[in-house]
């Protein structure tokens, strides 16, 4: 019986890294969540994962510096493929949440950088940096606070039982993040 390919990504289930894995492998890979980009590189280098995906460039913010640095600083890894993930960002809250009562919006710093126009229209909502878009959604669901929102994908709304308060809030409609697929050179 063959084992499934284990692919590491930064974030929690529902993150855009997991979406990149699904684009590359469909259901034929197990997504292996890691907290930080350096943890993704470490998981691959130490064989906790067979492959890894790293976001390297976003059409709004440019290079994903922390990801590129983690990849470049880990010897023995090389790029073997890539995929572009459409990044459609949504503002999520628990049922009963409303934008006019919201005070905080939590997400990954790269995601928050992609919604500058939306934040400018909502000056009473303070952006708060967390480790991951999907992690922000999970945190919001657990807090059960109607004034605290998450910036994540529509997939996260369904996964964490949240409602979408605003769709496609990214600064440009055709927002894309390019992910590279990475393997150990010893493979």
């Amino acid at each position: 019986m063959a084992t499934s390919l284990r692919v590491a990504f930064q974030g929690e289930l529902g993150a855009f890294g997991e979406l990149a894995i699904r684009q590359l492998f469909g259901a034929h890979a197990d997504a292996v969540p890691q907290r930080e980009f350096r943890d993704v590189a470490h998981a691959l280098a130490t064989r906790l994962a067979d492959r890894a995906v790293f976001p390297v460039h976003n059409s709004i913010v440019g290079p994903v510096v922390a990801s590129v640095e983690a990849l470049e600083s880990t010897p023995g890894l090389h790029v073997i493929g890539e995929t572009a993930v459409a990044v459609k960002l949504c503002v999520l809250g628990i049922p009963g949440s409303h934008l006019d009562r919201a005070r905080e919006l939590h997400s990954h710093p790269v995601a928050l950088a992609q919604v500058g126009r939306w934040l400018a229209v909502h000056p009473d909502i303070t952006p708060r940096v967390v480790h991951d878009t999907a992690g922000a959604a999970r945190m919001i669901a657990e807090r059960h606070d109607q004034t605290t929102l998450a910036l994540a994908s529509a997939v996260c709304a369904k996964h964490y039982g949240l409602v979408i308060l605003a769709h496609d809030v990214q600064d440009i409609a055709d927002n894309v993040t390019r992910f590279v697929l990475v393997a150990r050179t010893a493979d």
Side-chain angles (χ1 to χ4, degrees):
M1 182 172 166
T3 59
S4 185
L5 191 68
R6 298 166 299 153
V7 185
F9 70 100
Q10 187 276 326
E12 297 187 31
L13 296 176
F16 289 100
E18 184 187 12
L19 298 179
I21 293 168
R22 297 297 159 234
Q23 280 185 200
L24 288 163
F25 299 103
H28 304 291
D30 291 330
V32 181
Q34 301 294 314
R35 183 165 174 88
E36 304 290 339
F37 293 120
R38 67 179 175 268
D39 300 328
V40 175
H42 178 77
L44 182 57
T46 60
R47 299 183 183 274
L48 295 173
D50 305 305
R51 300 285 185 273
V53 293
F54 289 86
V56 293
H57 191 273
N58 175 266
S59 54
I60 296 174
V61 299
V64 182
V65 176
S67 177
V68 172
E69 287 175 351
L71 179 58
E72 290 177 348
S73 68
T74 307
L77 304 181
H78 70 278
V79 174
I80 61 169
E82 70 176 63
T83 191
V85 175
V87 179
K88 303 294 184 188
L89 293 166
C90 299
V91 177
L92 311 177
I94 63 169
S97 296
H98 296 281
L99 289 177
D100 60 348
R101 292 194 307 255
R103 295 293 163 249
E104 294 182 352
L105 179 67
H106 294 250
S107 197
H108 189 277
V110 174
L112 290 168
Q114 295 173 48
V115 297
R117 291 181 190 157
W118 189 88
L119 287 168
V121 172
H122 298 89
D124 293 336
I125 300 176
T126 304
R128 300 282 187 213
V129 171
V130 296
H131 74 284
D132 175 44
T133 56
R138 180 192 48 76
M139 181 184 73
I140 298 311
E142 291 172 355
R143 280 190 182 177
H144 211 71
D145 175 0
Q146 292 181 346
T147 68
T148 305
L149 309 176
L151 179 66
S153 69
V155 170
C156 287
K158 185 175 181 179
H159 189 75
Y160 295 104
L162 301 173
V163 295
I164 299 174
L165 302 174
H167 289 271
D168 295 339
V169 297
Q170 64 278 353
D171 288 346
I172 60 172
D174 58 349
N175 187 24
V176 173
T177 296
R178 186 169 58 91
F179 284 80
V180 293
L181 177 65
V182 178
R184 292 178 298 276
T185 56
D187 288 349

